[in-house]
Amino acid sequence: MKRTTTVFKGTLAATLGTALLAGCGGSGDSGASDEGKDQTVTLVTHQSFVVSEDVLKQFTQETGYRVEVVQSGDAGVMVNKAVLTAGNPEGDVLFGVDNTMLSKALDGGVFAPHRAEGLAEVPEDLRLDAGKHRVTPVDTGDVCVNYDRAHFEAEDVEPPRTLEDLTRPEYRDMLVVQNPATSSPGLAFLLATVGAYGEEGWQDYWKDLKANGAVQAEGWEQSYNDMFSGSAGGRDGDRPLVVSYAASPVAEVHYGTDKDPEQAPTGVAPGTCFRQTEFAGLLDGAGNPEGGKALIDFMLSTSFQQDIPLNMFVRPVREDAVLPQIFTEYGAEIEDPHTVAPEEIDANREQWIKQWSALMR
């Protein structure tokens, strides 16, 4: 929703994107002319990856390579698979590892170095592997609790705005979160609570959240599409609060029947957010490393970057990329997300996940 992410990463978008990519990969209409050249680049990514058909065709026309997409579950599942297959990867490029799981992939020896063209246009604070260039930042977005406006209007209750609000009686039995062991937004929300309450306080917060009726889902798709009452593409969920993305309301408008509403049908609780950055990297042992490098370079082109917002509903990392109007009109600007230092995440992530799992049994 990363991703995203976000950042809405809906079923409709994913389905369309998969179909488009499959069509592009098998079209045979590339401008490639080099005999003997491996013309296929295999991109391993999460289930929410979507890109426009025309953009993939542009890549093929410019480089001669066609893209084959292997979608490998939620981001957490994808990273776990990549670590297990390090050195003997499923493809050439992996996209969608974010800052909450980056150290796991780097420590697992998943990537080979490549300094991408266009990196100079990316802010330095997003280059979390600066100097080694094992990964390239591609997009960024905020993971936040979303709410169903219609529910709160019908109940004449103000929607929550902060993490503390979520533990109050008026929001009992409303929230669905994702399992941080298998879900990237789930891990991001856990980190938001660590950032807000610190090592000494986050577990007590979760005890309060569980006591207030919060439930968990394994991944974003299940939580948003099956359990969240505000999902237009969902299946009549009964939970009006869900962990999703600051740009998910944009997707609700983009795919909704009313293209010019006064406000989006869902909203964002601004005090609940954690910022994610998604990266792409050349997989160590890739069968087509040159094609993989070309694809990573292309992912930082303005064509790809400006295609991101309305497909994966996250923000491009290039400072000169232009956002579509619907994105700026209905997406939430989060000015002060909760943060946890990358080295602190690296040192404690697995322990925090185990502690969270024990608390939420």
Side-chain angles (χ1 to χ4, degrees):
M1 50 186 246
K2 174 270 239 248
R3 218 110 244 241
T4 194
T5 182
T6 152
V7 176
F8 176 83
K9 304 181 178 182
T11 299
L12 176 60
T15 303
L16 287 173
T18 302
L20 292 174
L21 291 167
C24 188
S27 66
D29 61 350
S30 84
S33 58
D34 297 343
E35 291 185 6
K37 178 180 179 181
D38 186 349
Q39 296 179 340
T40 300
V41 181
T42 302
L43 174 65
V44 180
T45 185
H46 49 58
Q47 62 194 23
S48 300
F49 176 80
V50 184
V51 67
S52 297
E53 181 181 18
D54 288 346
V55 169
L56 266 292
K57 284 184 176 178
Q58 179 183 339
F59 172 72
T60 300
Q61 290 165 356
E62 292 180 359
T63 67
Y65 295 111
R66 295 190 300 270
V67 178
E68 178 183 357
V69 175
V70 175
Q71 290 179 298
S72 191
D74 206 333
V77 175
M78 177 191 72
V79 172
N80 288 335
K81 287 182 181 177
V83 171
L84 290 173
T85 59
N88 186 28
E90 291 182 274
D92 304 304
V93 172
L94 184 141
F95 165 74
V97 58
D98 63 42
N99 51 313
T100 68
M101 297 186 178
L102 180 60
S103 62
K104 184 174 186 176
L106 295 179
D107 292 346
V110 169
F111 300 112
H114 170 61
R115 191 185 193 287
E117 295 180 7
L119 193 61
E121 303 298 330
V122 179
E124 290 187 3
D125 63 349
L126 299 181
R127 305 181 203 172
L128 298 187
D129 194 40
K132 295 185 178 178
H133 303 300
R134 291 169 293 182
V135 291
T136 299
V138 174
D139 64 62
T140 185
D142 295 308
V143 173
C144 312
V145 169
N146 281 213
Y147 57 84
D148 176 2
R149 290 188 191 278
H151 173 88
F152 288 99
E153 289 173 2
E155 298 295 324
D156 195 24
V157 174
E158 287 293 320
R161 294 186 58 81
T162 67
L163 292 172
E164 191 67 26
D165 287 347
L166 299 173
T167 64
R168 294 178 176 166
E170 56 264 43
Y171 306 113
R172 183 173 180 80
D173 296 334
M174 291 188 181
L175 176 64
V176 55
V177 303
Q178 298 91 20
N179 185 340
T182 55
S183 166
S184 176
L187 179 55
F189 185 63
L190 170 59
L191 294 175
T193 66
V194 173
Y197 297 101
E199 181 66 39
E200 302 302 319
W202 73 266
Q203 292 189 64
D204 287 338
Y205 173 79
W206 276 93
K207 291 176 184 175
D208 293 342
L209 207 59
K210 182 182 179 184
N212 208 34
V215 296
Q216 62 171 300
E218 284 303 299
W220 179 90
E221 298 279 353
Q222 180 191 11
S223 63
Y224 196 93
N225 291 319
D226 295 348
M227 303 173 72
F228 179 46
S229 62
S231 171
R235 302 175 181 84
D236 300 323
D238 61 1
R239 293 258 161 179
L241 297 174
V242 65
V243 173
S244 190
Y245 298 89
S248 296
V250 179
E252 291 292 344
V253 175
H254 185 65
Y255 293 110
T257 54
D258 184 354
K259 301 299 183 185
D260 188 27
E262 183 176 344
Q263 60 183 358
T266 58
V268 171
T272 65
C273 304
F274 183 87
R275 185 152 296 167
Q276 284 184 316
T277 300
E278 288 190 307
F279 299 84
L282 179 68
L283 286 163
D284 185 40
N288 185 0
E290 294 308 313
K293 293 175 184 176
L295 180 58
I296 293 172
D297 292 347
F298 185 73
M299 295 176 89
L300 278 189
S301 68
T302 54
S303 295
F304 190 95
Q305 288 279 293
Q306 292 179 172
D307 191 60
I308 286 173
L310 291 184
N311 280 304
M312 293 191 282
F313 294 93
V314 285
R315 294 172 180 268
V317 293
R318 279 188 71 122
E319 293 184 304
D320 56 349
V322 178
L323 286 171
Q325 182 178 350
I326 188 175
F327 204 89
T328 56
E329 185 173 355
Y330 297 107
E333 291 278 353
I334 306 302
E335 296 182 354
D336 190 23
H338 298 292
T339 60
V340 180
E343 56 270 22
E344 192 174 352
I345 297 174
D346 185 24
N348 296 290
R349 181 185 51 244
E350 300 308 320
Q351 174 186 332
W352 289 337
I353 291 173
K354 289 179 181 176
Q355 291 170 332
W356 182 93
S357 298
L359 285 170
M360 295 298 286
R361 282 177 187 159

